[in-house]
Amino acid sequence: MHTQSHTTQNMPSIKPDKSWKVWWMLLRPHTLSAAFIPVTIGTVLALNEGSIHAALFLAMLIASILIQAATNMFNEYFDFKRGLDNENSVGIGGAIVRNGVKPKTVLNLAFGFFGIAILLGIYICMESTWWIAVIGLICMATGYFYTGGPVPIAYTPFGELVAGFFMGMVIILLAYYIQTGTISAISVIISIPIAFLVGNIMLSNNIRDLDGDKENGRKTLAILIGRKKAIIFLAATFAASYAVILAMIAFGYLSAWALLVLISTPKAYSAVKKFIGKSLPLEMMPAMKATAQTNIQFGFLLAIGLFISTI
């Protein structure tokens, strides 16, 4: 978030005719693609091994979205507690300071989402293996400590790596495993570009917030290497994502239908271009949006390509 000092006095109240938008923005919908795309890809990939269990897919999908939404709410809560959000903050966060949502309500809702995810996880474990419970609890702990705890992960240079690993690679492998009962080489390799793209969503946020984060003592990757190199890194990880898919096609792991992901390249190019030469957070909002849209387009196009190749 754009970091400035805040006050809790005179917080604006939620307008009845716009309250649903406040709660929708609290979910930070542009980040939810980091949940449903990996689940979809892992499940569609499992089709190559035979039929899929629709109920398991839905349970995994809903649980992943709930964990991501809860993580966003913890971010909202802890940014407020640390004084990083105020009425003038740039972005879709700030429901507490701008819309009068009570901090305790946000925190309770986040834990409520975790509770529902746990119930869904129990069903998934009953249909697969109880080892899934261990992994699920680790994922939820990571979601909490991403912005919570004494040393939040998001305040370190490892935020993108952690987000990409858990919300990209781990979710794909879990979705694939609960359908097939195994992990294959292709499921591991195909999770790499998705992990890159999930990490890029976080990186774009940190590029936007670089100046404010630096003032508040954060040490994100963008701060560590500087805005110019961070944008170059963003472009490189976009390129690496496409390169992995092309390599998988070349070595026969994927069919030519996976080339559909190339349709998303203009959006990736746009995301990088819109960051170049910008220094104000508001100016970089279109670049952040384009980064999230690249993730969505790439993921869905890859899922479509995988699905077509199985029929």
Side-chain angles (χ1 to χ4, degrees):
M1 309 308 299
H2 184 50
T3 49
Q4 300 177 21
S5 60
H6 78 283
T7 61
T8 58
Q9 298 177 349
N10 300 322
M11 291 193 304
S13 59
I14 301 173
K15 297 180 180 180
D17 61 332
K18 294 183 178 180
S19 61
W20 70 270
K21 293 183 180 179
V22 172
W23 296 107
W24 175 242
M25 289 299 101
L26 183 61
L27 296 177
R28 304 189 182 183
H30 72 287
T31 68
L32 297 184
S33 62
F36 64 76
I37 284 178
V39 175
T40 301
I41 290 176
T43 305
V44 174
L45 187 62
L47 273 174
N48 289 318
E49 305 297 328
S51 60
I52 62 172
H53 195 304
L56 277 176
F57 165 67
L58 288 175
M60 182 73 185
L61 181 65
I62 296 171
S64 296
I65 291 175
L66 288 172
I67 291 173
Q68 179 61 49
T71 300
N72 293 338
M73 291 178 184
F74 286 131
N75 185 26
E76 180 84 22
Y77 175 81
F78 286 112
D79 276 359
F80 167 76
K81 283 297 185 179
R82 292 186 171 93
L84 303 182
D85 277 342
N86 63 63
E87 295 87 345
N88 299 315
S89 295
V90 173
I92 64 174
I96 294 174
V97 295
R98 284 201 293 256
N99 304 106
V101 179
K102 294 180 180 180
K104 187 176 181 180
T105 299
V106 174
L107 188 62
N108 288 340
L109 189 57
F111 281 120
F113 280 2
F114 266 8
I116 299 172
I118 288 174
L119 293 177
L120 291 168
I122 291 173
Y123 164 72
I124 293 172
C125 290
M126 292 174 63
E127 295 294 325
S128 55
T129 172
W130 286 98
W131 283 107
I132 298 294
V134 177
I135 300 173
L137 290 173
I138 292 173
C139 288
M140 286 192 289
T142 302
Y144 177 85
F145 287 109
Y146 193 77
T147 50
V151 184
I153 299 169
Y155 288 28
T156 73
F158 307 109
E160 291 83 359
L161 177 63
V162 171
F165 176 73
F166 281 99
M167 296 307 298
M169 180 171 288
V170 171
I171 296 302
I172 285 179
L173 297 181
L174 282 178
Y176 182 83
Y177 180 83
I178 65 175
Q179 297 291 344
T180 64
T182 187
I183 297 295
S184 65
I186 187 173
S187 65
V188 174
I189 299 171
I190 207 169
S191 69
I192 295 174
I194 303 303
F196 286 158
L197 295 176
V198 171
N200 274 358
I201 294 176
M202 310 307 162
L203 178 58
S204 67
N205 182 80
N206 289 335
I207 292 174
R208 183 199 66 182
D209 294 342
L210 188 151
D211 294 331
D213 285 347
K214 185 183 294 185
E215 292 174 4
N216 285 274
R218 290 191 177 189
K219 300 184 184 298
T220 64
L221 178 63
I223 291 173
L224 186 67
I225 64 179
R227 179 175 282 113
K228 183 176 180 180
K229 289 183 179 179
I231 295 172
I232 293 173
F233 188 78
L234 181 76
T237 47
F238 273 138
S241 299
Y242 293 102
V244 171
I245 298 300
L246 293 176
M248 292 183 75
I249 295 172
F251 286 100
Y253 285 103
L254 295 177
S255 75
W257 283 108
L259 289 172
L260 284 172
V261 299
L262 296 179
I263 296 174
S264 66
T265 54
K267 186 59 68 174
Y269 174 78
S270 174
V272 175
K273 185 177 180 181
K274 288 178 179 179
F275 267 122
I276 297 174
K278 306 297 191 306
S279 59
L280 298 177
L282 188 60
E283 294 178 323
M284 290 180 272
M285 289 299 293
M288 283 187 61
K289 183 178 179 180
T291 301
Q293 289 174 338
T294 301
N295 183 43
I296 294 172
Q297 290 184 13
F298 185 104
F300 272 122
L301 289 167
L302 179 57
I304 291 172
L306 290 172
F307 180 75
I308 293 175
S309 67
T310 63
I311 60 178

